Amino acid sequence: MLLSVAVATAVLCILLPENLISYKKRAFTNVCMDVPEEYYPTSSYYEVTKEFSEKLSEYQRRQLISGQWASEISEVDKEYFSDTGYHVQERAKVLISNLNEGGFYPVSIDSSYQQWYNWKCTYLQALDMNFKTYAGFFWKTNFLYYEGGEQMTAYTTPDGRLIKVIYTIDDESTSTTQSVGVLKEKYKPYKDKVFSMEESIDIAELMFGDDFEVTTIETANKDDIEAVRQYIKGDKLTTTLGVEDTGESSEVENNAGSDEYDISVTVVTVLDYSSESSDTEGNDYYLYVYQSENEYAIGLIPTE
């Protein structure tokens, strides 16, 4: 009897721990555990997203910002700003003034008497919707004339390169120092202006700045113009450009608009020397100029 008990005890001592361990292992592996959000490189995990995004080229970042690479645009928390709004708006003012001095933009921004503008800067990210790992970061800077009447909006990269700049006249302005009629008269020379190929190269180089070179340029074909028109219709950056579907109006050479607006488009090939990892074989961009009764815009978007 005692021998049987001893043998049974010995067997249990061997088998029980093994079975208990196997049971606990199966119980653990069959449970799906929730991992805290901070362990994923999502839009809220800014530092990880930024680290991955630094490996992207300028062209890839602009693909995200323009939506050619499916993305979701959202505001970045202030705690992640690597620059101040004051410095950002100062750089934007210089870019706008450079375009104005070249004869490519209706106005400049200065601090002379009765030329004061209120400004607001917003830091944004265009996060890829597939992996939520890469993002194109950019600034939106809005300048509003202190008494109303006109405003300018500049979209710039963190490095200070222009993505798009818009000029808008407000028909319902209550301005006392400059009426809507005066503003439209000032804007009139630009409304129907057509830039030459050489001038288009100058515009692109002013928007890109140093470390970029425009190597070739050509007039856009009908498909290119239609692509830009469709882009502007669904542009995520702004809803101020009221482009309507105009059917076959793109048959007009270099004009994708109706009687209410015109879009001039050229295709520029740009070399990027901004970093060692940049693609130096050249990338193609659409350079477009939008003109309507109350709005004027210049923008650059990747062709793909």
Side-chain angles (χ1 to χ4, degrees):
M1 180 66 178
L2 292 175
L3 180 61
S4 299
V5 173
V7 171
T9 301
V11 172
L12 288 174
C13 289
I14 295 172
L15 297 179
L16 188 59
E18 181 180 354
N19 291 334
L20 183 60
I21 291 173
S22 297
Y23 171 78
K24 287 187 173 294
K25 179 181 178 181
R26 287 194 302 271
F28 179 79
T29 56
N30 288 335
V31 173
C32 294
M33 301 185 69
D34 292 330
V35 179
E37 185 179 342
E38 61 265 24
Y39 288 96
Y40 289 99
T42 63
S43 58
S44 63
Y45 195 33
Y46 175 81
E47 293 299 335
V48 172
T49 304
K50 182 180 179 182
E51 182 178 352
F52 276 98
S53 301
E54 288 175 349
K55 301 174 184 178
L56 299 177
S57 67
E58 178 79 10
Y59 193 79
Q60 291 170 324
R61 295 188 188 105
R62 290 184 182 238
Q63 283 179 308
L64 282 167
I65 295 169
S66 64
Q68 271 93 336
W69 183 356
S71 63
E72 183 177 64
I73 293 177
S74 60
E75 189 171 342
V76 178
D77 291 339
K78 292 182 179 180
E79 63 182 291
Y80 298 120
F81 287 7
S82 57
D83 207 342
T84 66
Y86 175 79
H87 290 141
V88 171
Q89 65 89 26
E90 283 293 306
R91 287 198 298 266
K93 284 166 62 174
V94 170
L95 292 168
I96 290 173
S97 295
N98 289 343
L99 286 173
N100 174 257
E101 290 173 7
F104 309 128
Y105 194 74
V107 296
S108 62
I109 303 175
D110 56 45
S111 299
S112 60
Y113 179 65
Q114 292 188 340
Q115 290 297 316
W116 305 304
Y117 290 84
N118 299 317
W119 56 266
K120 178 182 178 182
C121 292
T122 308
Y123 193 39
L124 302 161
Q125 66 173 3
L127 184 71
D128 84 273
M129 298 182 66
N130 294 320
F131 306 105
K132 296 188 181 295
T133 303
Y134 303 97
F137 297 99
F138 61 101
W139 285 94
K140 175 183 177 181
T141 305
N142 182 256
F143 297 95
L144 179 65
Y145 186 65
Y146 79 108
E147 286 191 339
E150 62 180 344
Q151 64 176 315
M152 285 162 276
T153 305
Y155 297 87
T156 57
T157 69
D159 297 319
R161 305 180 185 111
L162 263 178
I163 299 168
K164 173 193 293 184
V165 61
I166 306 170
Y167 173 72
T168 306
I169 297 173
D170 182 5
D171 273 333
E172 299 179 358
S173 169
T174 58
S175 173
T176 57
T177 58
Q178 51 180 7
S179 66
V180 172
V182 171
L183 291 174
K184 288 190 175 182
E185 192 64 28
K186 180 172 61 176
Y187 166 54
K188 187 176 180 179
Y190 290 84
K191 182 177 180 298
D192 300 313
K193 193 169 186 177
V194 177
F195 297 113
S196 67
M197 299 297 250
E198 291 76 13
E199 288 175 320
S200 295
I201 291 176
D202 292 339
I203 293 172
E205 290 183 341
L206 284 172
M207 294 181 72
F208 275 112
D210 297 335
D211 299 323
F212 290 82
E213 177 187 358
V214 178
T215 57
T216 62
I217 185 170
E218 59 184 27
T219 302
N221 59 37
K222 295 178 182 178
D223 291 339
D224 294 329
I225 296 170
E226 181 64 18
V228 173
R229 188 170 65 83
Q230 292 300 324
Y231 159 75
I232 293 177
K233 283 178 62 178
D235 185 8
K236 296 180 181 180
L237 300 190
T238 177
T239 58
T240 61
L241 299 182
V243 179
E244 302 292 338
D245 191 351
T246 56
E248 300 299 323
S249 62
S250 60
E251 291 181 358
V252 181
E253 183 179 359
N254 211 34
N255 182 351
S258 66
D259 293 337
E260 297 181 354
Y261 67 89
D262 294 325
I263 304 175
S264 299
V265 183
T266 51
V267 181
V268 294
T269 302
V270 180
L271 291 178
D272 179 0
Y273 303 113
S274 61
S275 67
E276 295 180 0
S277 60
S278 296
D279 181 7
T280 56
E281 294 182 359
N283 290 298
D284 291 338
Y285 291 83
Y286 292 129
L287 171 64
Y288 66 90
V289 179
Y290 174 100
Q291 302 164 319
S292 72
E293 185 67 25
N294 287 13
E295 290 179 311
Y296 178 92
I298 300 176
L300 277 165
I301 55 173
T303 61
E304 299 178 356

